[in-house]
Every structure is written in structure tokens, then in C-alpha cells.
Amino acid sequence: MATTTATIEVDPAVLANAADSDYASSGYDTSTASLTSSVNDYIFENGRRYHAYFGAEKNLLPTDELEQDRLDLHHETMLRMMNGRLHDAPLRGPQRILDIGTGTGIWAIDMADAYPAAEVVGTDLSPTQPGWVPPNCRFELDDAEREWTFRPKESFDYIHARNVAQGISDWDKVMSQMYGHTRPGGWVELAETSAKIHCDDNTMSADNGAKVFFETIDEALTNMGRPPPTVELLQRRLRTAGFVDIQAFAYKQPLGPWPKDPRLKQIGAMVMLGCETGFQAYGMAVFTRVLGMDPLRAKQVCDDALKAVRNKNFHLYNHLWVLFLAPPPCHA
Ligand SMILES: C[S@@+](CC[C@H](N)C(=O)[O-])C[C@H]1O[C@@H](n2cnc3c(N)ncnc32)[C@H](O)[C@@H]1O
């Protein structure tokens, strides 16, 4: 398994004046930083809009404009983390591409532009994709855990799924459908952000707000049978589905603009910006519905996490795991 082991060096400007926890004290400025009507079944909760077409418990992330903006920002963050690449699998002239859990469809649209000869299909539980898309790109409303109806079956050159784990309980079914729908010589790529938070310089205490947030998310999702993905878990499930030659790579995602390296600093700033709505997006429904937490308490956990990420004295990061693999030449 390939992994990024190099320690991220903290910007000395961030280390200066530790008595002040605000990034402003280091001179850092983050400001740069086709369907039926039942598809419109929405739930409004804690000031956010959730989509309920496949059942209220299916997708615990909001689907409103605030969330769509966050997803588009995160796409840009991911591109920077992956050095501008839309994928790590070594694609050669793909003809049919499938994006599971496409969100706003931004990755699928970029792929359609990058591979104009390919047909790109994006599926999602919610119809939050734009109408104006490249002619070789289209979207379908679908639950990846249901029986896939794409025909011919073994026809995709490339199947991609990024940050969908929170909406998947039956990974074995999803992965075996990925296996069965990839043509010989094709590729599957998964990208999942880990809920485990790290720190290399002892600036994260046990009660750090962001650490507590991720531990609480882990507990809630594990309770509901959707444990946050670890690379080991993803690899084990992929092997069960029949995949053999699995390549895994970890990108470090700094939570805040504390790194010295300019590229990582920019990524950290973008992550911090995303956290402004991200903690509540990931936390509110899960904490209140699954753990039965009072909404005020749930909001406090999210606010404490944001406060921790905004504190320049805490040098936190997590991993974006990218796994890509080809099914064996003969599979069905
Ligand atoms: C965090 S967003 C990521 C969106 C997109 N993949 C990206 O990286 O920008 C997760 C998306 O996965 C979708 N999703 C979750 N579970 C799903 C399922 N079982 N079937 C289809 N889509 C699913 C959600 O509706 C949401 O749009």
C-alpha cells in the first residue's frame, strides 16, 4: 500500500505568537480562500433541507444550496490534493464512465470535458445536478444499494465513487455490482475521506473539539451499521467482491492553513472554509436522529469542532484514501 508518510511542516508564521489562537495573528487571510414530483420530498430540520425520496434515513447530509456550494468547494480542494488530477487510475481512452453518488455532478462534468469521446453517467439519491451539462454527460436518480439496471451489464471502462460512505450500509452489494459492471480491462476508483484525525506535534489534546466531533460521528455511524471507512475496511470489502490487485494511496488533508508548504496551506484554507458548513452538514442529522442528541448540544459539538479547526495552534490533518483497482480479466 502506498502512503504519504512525510510529516507536514508547520509554517513558522503560524507558530509565532502562540498566545493568540487566531489565524489573523500570523497575517493569514482566508478570504481567498428529469423526474416526477415525488422527487421533491424534502425535510426541513435545524435550518437545513434534507431530501427524502429514498427514505429519510438514507442520506443524512443536507441537499440545500449551502451543501451544494460546500461540495463544489470540496471538489476544488480534492483537485489540489490530487495535484490537479481527476483520477489516479491509469485510464486510456475510456468510453463509458459511471460516477456513483455524484452530488452536484461537478466531477462527472469535469470528466465529460476531459474525455469528450466518453459517455459519463452520474447517479445520486438526490437531483441536485445542473441542467446545463456537456452533451456527453447525464444524470440519473438512483440508490447505489439497489439492483443496478445498466445494460449491457459489463460495460463501464471506469466506475468512480467519492465520499459516499455515509450513505452506504451494504458495501458488499455495491462493490459486487461495481465488479460486475466493469468491463475486462476497466477500472474502479474509490476516494473516501477518513474520519480519523491526526496530529504529528502533540497540539491535539484529548478534548480537542474536532477530535471529539469525529469520534462522535464514528460512534453514530457505527451504531447505524455504516462505520466510517478505513483503508483496511475498504480493502477487505473489495477483496470480498472479487477484486485482487488493489492499489491504495493516502493524501494528507490539513484541517486549516497551518502548513508551511504553500500548496498544503491553500488546501488547509479551503478545508477550513468548507468546515464552516461541513461540521453541521455531517453532524446535525446524525447526532440528533441517530444518537438522540438535543439539537442545541449537537450544534455545540459542531461549533466546538469548527473552533478547533480555526485555532492556528492545533495542527490537525486527516487522510483522503484513494483506492484503484482493475477486476481480473475474466469476471462476471
Ligand atoms: C459527500 S457527497 C459527495 C458527492 C460527490 N461524490 C463529490 O465527491 O463531490 C455524498 C453524495 O453521495 C450520495 N449518496 C450517498 N449514498 C448514496 C447511495 N446509496 N446511492 C447513491 N448516492 C448516494 C449523496 O446523495 C451525496 O450527494
Side-chain angles (χ1 to χ4, degrees):
M1 179 198 314
T3 181
T4 308
T5 51
T7 301
I8 304 176
E9 196 182 343
V10 182
D11 183 349
V14 164
L15 290 172
N17 195 11
D20 184 350
S21 65
D22 198 309
Y23 275 107
S25 73
S26 57
Y28 185 79
D29 180 1
T30 59
S31 67
T32 51
S34 46
L35 299 162
T36 65
S37 64
S38 60
V39 85
N40 295 320
D41 282 347
Y42 292 112
I43 296 171
F44 292 86
E45 206 175 74
N46 299 310
R48 304 299 300 266
R49 189 189 73 194
Y50 296 84
H51 191 236
Y53 183 70
F54 287 98
E57 297 310 313
K58 192 75 204 181
N59 187 8
L60 295 162
L61 290 170
T63 57
D64 49 20
E65 285 71 19
L66 213 52
E67 176 66 356
Q68 292 170 34
D69 287 349
R70 186 188 73 80
L71 291 181
D72 287 351
L73 173 68
H74 201 224
H75 173 70
E76 294 301 327
T77 313
M78 296 266 202
L79 277 181
R80 277 162 183 74
M81 248 187 308
M82 293 175 67
N83 297 302
R85 293 187 303 275
L86 285 163
H87 55 82
D88 272 349
L91 304 185
R92 279 205 211 111
Q95 296 296 301
R96 275 196 99 198
I97 298 172
L98 175 63
D99 185 30
I100 300 295
T102 196
T104 63
I106 191 166
W107 180 90
I109 292 168
D110 278 2
M111 280 297 278
D113 284 337
Y115 295 98
E119 176 200 16
V120 183
V121 184
T123 65
D124 202 280
L125 298 169
S126 303
T128 50
Q129 302 78 36
W132 286 89
V133 296
N136 58 328
C137 180
R138 67 185 167 84
F139 297 109
E140 293 181 9
L141 195 66
D142 200 10
D143 174 0
E145 290 185 285
R146 294 190 177 189
E147 211 58 41
W148 296 8
T149 54
F150 300 107
R151 294 293 178 269
K153 194 174 168 213
E154 217 179 271
S155 67
F156 287 102
D157 300 281
Y158 180 50
I159 300 180
H160 174 260
R162 188 173 74 182
N163 284 337
V164 299
Q166 204 184 16
I168 308 277
S169 304
D170 193 349
W171 270 108
D172 287 344
K173 180 162 187 187
V174 173
M175 285 177 177
S176 77
Q177 301 208 80
M178 285 177 166
Y179 186 86
H181 283 75
T182 311
R183 71 160 183 76
W187 292 89
V188 170
E189 182 162 336
L190 306 179
E192 289 292 337
T193 306
S194 167
K196 290 258 177 301
I197 190 162
H198 303 273
C199 169
D200 294 337
D201 61 1
N202 296 320
T203 56
M204 180 172 70
S205 60
D207 62 351
N208 181 286
K211 184 172 187 293
V212 170
F213 174 90
F214 282 109
E215 285 167 356
T216 316
I217 281 280
D218 194 321
E219 178 196 342
L221 292 178
T222 303
N223 277 359
M224 68 181 298
R226 296 180 195 170
T230 62
V231 69
E232 294 79 16
L233 200 57
L234 290 168
Q235 283 176 317
R236 199 163 61 235
R237 288 166 170 161
L238 285 163
R239 276 192 211 102
T240 306
F243 293 103
V244 282
D245 187 12
I246 304 165
Q247 303 192 48
F249 194 83
Y251 294 89
K252 283 184 178 177
Q253 172 178 260
L255 307 182
W258 55 264
K260 182 179 176 191
D261 175 80
R263 186 182 70 88
L264 290 172
K265 183 185 277 297
Q266 187 189 35
I267 290 169
M270 294 169 81
V271 170
M272 189 168 77
L273 197 60
C275 286
E276 287 183 9
T277 61
F279 285 122
Q280 286 199 23
Y282 272 96
M284 287 305 290
V286 171
F287 295 165
T288 54
R289 296 190 210 167
V290 182
L291 295 181
M293 216 183 255
D294 177 80
L296 283 177
R297 172 73 195 125
K299 186 169 176 302
Q300 191 61 56
V301 176
C302 299
D303 289 350
D304 288 349
L306 181 58
K307 210 166 144 196
V309 165
R310 281 181 173 158
N311 188 321
K312 76 182 181 71
N313 296 326
F314 304 152
H315 311 135
L316 319 176
Y317 67 92
N318 60 357
H319 288 120
L320 166 70
W321 282 104
V322 175
L323 296 91
F324 60 93
L325 39 118
C330 294
H331 72 289

